[in-house]
Amino acid sequence: MSSDAPGFELPLRLFLAFRVIIDELHAELAREGHPDLRPMHGFVFQAIGPDGTTAVELGRRLGVSKQAAGKMVESLERAGYVQRGTDPRDARRKIVRLTGRGMDSLARSERIFERIRDDWVRRLGTDRVRALEEDLRRMTPADLWRLDMPGWFGTV
């Protein structure tokens, strides 16, 4: 009999690690003035990108319907994280862009992620964290920014 963990434990542990990190991030973001942000919002902000995007394109990038993307944009607009404006190249198109509040949440998230990683290094050691990261790079696609998770989970 093998002393290895059952096969189902690996994806659950990977997901739990993700959850622990994201929960810690959002607790800290809440303390720093962003209590209304949810894990999905990070995917939305990345999908909007620095140049903005349309609701149709946002839905495509997230793997959700145009209507679901539109609801998310409305919610984030009410909270002050995004704004809709006219595309300077085509007045018929509406472009969704991050506001200063949205950009602030991303900058804070970047800093918090670095702090969380540093905590993992303190607890596990530099070599183990680097080895874990390298192993995950070897086992996952090169495209780090796969944003269609919300659609894949079916949560939007």
Side-chain angles (χ1 to χ4, degrees):
M1 185 160 148
S2 172
S3 63
D4 288 343
F8 67 82
E9 188 173 339
L10 177 62
L12 291 175
R13 292 282 172 202
L14 289 169
F15 181 73
L16 286 171
F18 174 79
R19 176 80 191 258
V20 164
I21 291 169
I22 297 303
D23 286 350
E24 188 173 342
L25 167 78
H26 282 274
E28 201 159 324
L29 280 172
R31 287 189 295 273
E32 293 187 12
H34 295 282
D36 42 358
L37 286 179
R38 299 294 171 257
M40 186 186 324
H41 296 148
F43 290 103
V44 174
F45 293 172
Q46 294 301 321
I48 289 171
D51 299 322
T53 190
T54 65
V56 171
E57 180 62 18
L58 180 62
R60 188 190 67 71
R61 291 177 185 173
L62 294 173
V64 301
S65 70
K66 174 186 170 186
Q67 292 79 8
K71 285 182 183 180
M72 181 62 65
V73 168
E74 287 173 16
S75 167
L76 289 169
E77 191 173 36
R78 280 193 305 275
Y81 289 100
V82 302
Q83 62 187 8
R84 286 185 262 203
T86 304
D87 184 340
R89 296 170 304 228
D90 183 349
R92 297 168 295 178
R93 287 176 33 137
K94 296 292 182 200
I95 299 293
V96 178
R97 290 186 176 83
L98 294 173
T99 62
R101 182 166 171 75
M103 296 300 292
D104 178 70
S105 72
L106 286 177
R108 289 174 187 272
S109 294
E110 182 178 1
R111 181 184 45 75
I112 295 166
F113 278 132
E114 290 299 325
R115 194 220 21 93
I116 292 170
R117 185 185 183 281
D118 289 346
D119 184 50
W120 279 51
V121 166
R122 275 191 299 283
R123 294 173 70 190
L124 300 174
T126 301
D127 292 342
R128 289 188 68 185
V129 171
R130 284 183 182 157
L132 173 62
E133 291 169 335
E134 182 56 34
D135 289 344
L136 289 171
R137 281 185 202 101
R138 288 179 53 210
M139 299 304 295
T140 58
D143 180 10
L144 188 61
W145 297 106
R146 184 143 185 208
L147 301 172
D148 66 345
M149 297 280 198
W152 185 79
F153 271 118
T155 57
V156 177

